[in-house]
Amino acid sequence: MATPHIKAEIGDFGKTVLMPGDPLRSKYVAETYLENPVLVNNVRGVQGYTGTYKGVKVSVMASGMGMPSMSIYSHELFNFFGVDNIMRIGSAGAVSPRLKMRDIVFAQAASTTSNIQDNFGIHGHFAPIADFTMLRNAVEIAEDLKLSFMVGGIVSDDCFYDDDPDYNKPFIKMGALALEMETAALYMQAARAGKRALTLCTISDSLVTGESLDSRDREIGLNDMMIVALETAVKMESIPLEHFAEVKKETL
């Protein structure tokens, strides 16, 4: 079948899809880590590949930048292509002085400046959170690999260039670790579909020190995070998805 944004068939994607924002990063992950990767989607240049990792069928496909783009691709993967787990593997800007360049952040929760929750008819404020099983497994893998990481809340921002240079200070006061632009939407889509999601971000910039990775490092220099995500995908393969049977799921 095909959707407006994904031209693929049922079964073309693995149970778990890794989602970087950048299509070039998707290509890099597929060619570097997957065995026999096959291009299964290239609508609008948003490259999606499926191969195997340690014998497990895994896919990687770009999400594009921002919450509207993430919402489209994660919604279609969850609801039309049989995907149970999506892991965002992206970059983020640190707002905590405890984070160093290339540290990994596991997004336990995602605050947001977006009104994207209005699309779900929510009267109030929804709290987008990661799937605990995925989070626990990913953290255990990072510990085993002796990587430098933190677990906590991040902020998914709707605006990269803001006229107010201090707009993020209230979030920092509340303990936010880093800023990015997709996770809140991913977690909401997963919750609505009764599926699982987790974001792993590598620190590519620091609003504290002013440090920044160049575009080439952002594309291929995030290998520790990618290994954690792939190893997590292997673990999740044997864990059945628990649907929220009491909630009637209807396509939005």
Side-chain angles (χ1 to χ4, degrees), residues 10 86 130 140 172 227 243 249:
I10 297 294
I86 294 179
E140 288 175 352
I172 298 172
I227 291 293
H243 291 279
K249 299 296 177 183

Side-chain angles (χ1 to χ4, degrees), residues 36-49:
N36 303 313
V38 176
L39 183 68
V40 296
N41 179 68
N42 199 25
V43 176
R44 303 189 181 200
V46 177
Q47 299 174 29
Y49 298 85

Side-chain angles (χ1 to χ4, degrees), residues 137-158:
N137 279 297
V139 168
E140 288 175 352
I141 290 165
E143 288 175 336
D144 289 344
L145 294 173
K146 295 180 170 50
L147 301 179
S148 179
F149 68 89
M150 291 186 69
V151 180
I154 64 171
V155 180
S156 297
D157 199 350
D158 244 355

